[in-house]
Amino acid sequence: MVPSQEEPAAERETNEAQPPGPAPSDDAPLPDRGPSDVSDVAAEKVEVELTRSTGNEPPVPPEGGWGWVVMLAAMWCNGSVFGIQNAYGVLFVSMLDTFRAKDDDNMAFKTAWVGSLSMGMIFFCCPIVSVFTDIFGCRRTAVVGAAVGFIGLMSSSFVSSIEPLYFTYGIIFACGCSFAYQPSLVILGHYFKKRLGLVNGIVTAGSSVFTILLPLLLGNLVKSVDFFNTLRVLCVFMFVLFLAGFTYRPLVPSTKEKESGGSRSASFSRRKFSPPKKIFNFALFKETAYAVWAAGIPLALFGYFVPYVHLMNHAKKRFQDVNNKEVLFMCIGITSGVGRLLFGRIADYLPGVKKVYLQVLSFFFIGLMSMMIPLCNVFGALIAVCLIMGLFDGCFISIMAPIAFELVGPQDASQAIGFLLGFMSIPMTVGPPIAGLLHDKLGSYDVAFYLAGVPPFVGGVVLCLIPWIHSKKQREIRKNAGGEKMEKMLENQNSLLSGSSGIFKKDSDSII
């Protein structure tokens, strides 16, 4: 931790003011520093000096070494968590065949809730997981999360009806995945700085690789063994994820480790981390451009997860003579990986918040491709639609973090993304069951896919307002800054004039 320029002077004043005598021990009680509303700046300054005295400066990222093992573990985490979620369409068809009741006309609606709850809970828990990661560290949070996910998936393989899966698969398994996933992104910053962009690209590509491979694996497993044994095979992925969490050796201590470092540092750590405003920074929503972004993205996602859940069942009914329908998810996974690399690079050439226009473009094509799914009467046309949808899906995902950095700055980007992911959980949970209900009532998915394409268009229109709002805010800031600069110039001129008049007066007095 780099000390501020004010600290040497403060230390000199302390040393000059302190009377001779024995130095106080660390076990001595802290002096009373006044009421509880002492400024955070003073508390942070004391904590910096205490950290310097113990030599606990933040380590320099090694840019490799054990970090490559951590990168592979994080890649497995990203792939296994979102690979299973993206391949839910295969499990959806198997659930319909396993739990279908002859007198139940709402089976697609009920089954869709399982997958949508699972995906929604992963995003819903993100703001909470970030707090746990800060307090307990990456390794503990990830290991416990993987263990919970393993328990949820294993218990899902012993149910006898669809309803218990809402809790075992939709909540327990999903919450475990969320707690395992978030630390896998945080730990990368401990080991990499210069290569962090490259490493993040490799890690996020894990979900594309698993999205390509898992549908084929699950399709063969469902055919050769039943649905329940398929879930037990997936438990192997979660067990490997549990072991991978132990590789997250922290280089930066967690809040809990800082608090246990000594009574004095613990006191100031508690003062620094205990206020709720330090945990959840709701002041972000005072930034109008971010507030519009945080509203527009969820608005666009009401139909986003519908194809991932219902596409397989739609293809099963529309193209009964086609085998290996899982290739549709493979196409989405392949072009999604290409889109993340391609549009991530293109975003580097777009200045400021104009990167938002890439998300507008991606929502336009995602909505259009969703509407075209019912129009595809040839399986090859459906493959083409999935390829385009995956390409712009990768575009949408890859530029979320850069836009957050542009809107709120690097210090608040983590919480800005966390809040956004939490808001995204609502539409991603609600959309697929509504599409399933429409299928149960109308007998086909045509209307469901047409309606799923509408929210991306609406959300894209809302996002178009962000560059205008942001540029207007920047103009106001520059205008205010110019006014303040002019006032300072006038003050300096007045001080110079008053100084000059004093000199002239002094000279005249000396002449007299």
Side-chain angles (χ1 to χ4, degrees), residues 250-502:
L251 298 183
V252 178
S254 63
T255 303
K256 198 170 185 65
E257 291 169 343
K258 290 177 182 177
E259 290 180 356
S260 61
S263 59
R264 175 171 292 189
S265 62
S267 173
F268 288 102
S269 295
R270 280 193 296 271
R271 287 181 59 191
K272 182 177 179 181
F273 289 96
S274 58
K277 65 180 181 180
K278 288 291 182 180
I279 297 177
F280 296 108
N281 185 14
F282 294 109
L284 287 172
F285 296 98
K286 295 180 180 179
E287 183 66 37
T288 308
Y290 172 75
V292 174
W293 190 56
I297 295 291
L299 184 62
L301 294 181
F302 274 98
Y304 173 83
F305 198 47
V306 170
Y308 287 96
V309 174
H310 296 286
L311 184 60
M312 274 294 297
N313 199 36
H314 168 75
K316 180 183 176 181
K317 292 186 175 184
R318 180 68 63 89
F319 307 101
Q320 298 179 2
D321 56 337
V322 177
N323 297 322
N324 297 325
K325 300 178 183 66
E326 297 84 5
V327 72
L328 297 173
F329 289 110
M330 292 179 58
C331 294
I332 292 176
I334 291 172
T335 53
S336 178
V338 174
R340 296 179 192 205
L341 298 175
L342 175 64
F343 287 101
R345 184 60 177 164
I346 292 175
D348 292 337
Y349 295 99
L350 292 178
V353 296
K354 289 187 177 180
K355 298 177 178 66
V356 170
Y357 289 128
L358 284 179
Q359 283 193 327
V360 174
L361 184 68
S362 65
F363 283 138
F364 173 80
F365 277 97
I366 288 174
L368 182 62
M369 292 303 106
S370 180
M371 289 181 170
M372 290 187 67
I373 289 175
L375 302 177
C376 296
N377 295 320
V378 181
F379 192 72
L382 190 58
I383 289 178
V385 166
C386 290
L387 289 172
I388 298 174
M389 182 179 291
L391 183 69
F392 288 96
D393 169 78
C395 171
F396 157 66
I397 294 173
S398 65
I399 58 176
M400 282 182 62
I403 292 175
F405 274 83
E406 294 289 348
L407 293 177
V408 301
Q411 281 189 331
D412 297 323
S414 177
Q415 289 212 27
I417 296 173
F419 282 129
L420 179 64
L421 294 177
F423 293 146
M424 285 167 54
S425 65
I426 299 172
M428 296 181 76
T429 302
V430 173
I434 295 177
L437 183 63
L438 290 172
H439 168 268
D440 292 333
K441 300 300 181 184
L442 302 176
S444 72
Y445 283 109
D446 292 358
V447 175
F449 283 120
Y450 288 140
L451 293 178
V454 174
F457 287 111
V458 177
V461 172
V462 174
L463 294 183
C464 288
L465 300 174
I466 294 176
W468 176 76
I469 294 173
H470 188 74
S471 61
K472 182 180 179 182
K473 179 71 176 293
Q474 294 300 314
R475 287 194 298 269
E476 291 177 355
I477 292 175
R478 286 194 293 267
K479 184 178 179 181
N480 294 334
E484 293 177 357
K485 186 176 180 181
M486 183 64 68
E487 290 179 0
K488 289 182 179 179
M489 291 176 61
L490 292 175
E491 290 177 0
N492 293 335
Q493 290 178 357
N494 292 333
S495 62
L496 288 173
L497 290 173
S498 61
S500 300
S501 62

Side-chain angles (χ1 to χ4, degrees), residues 193-213:
K193 185 176 182 181
K194 295 179 181 178
R195 298 175 176 173
L196 187 58
L198 170 66
V199 170
N200 268 310
I202 296 173
V203 168
T204 55
S207 64
S208 299
V209 174
F210 277 63
T211 302
I212 296 169
L213 299 178

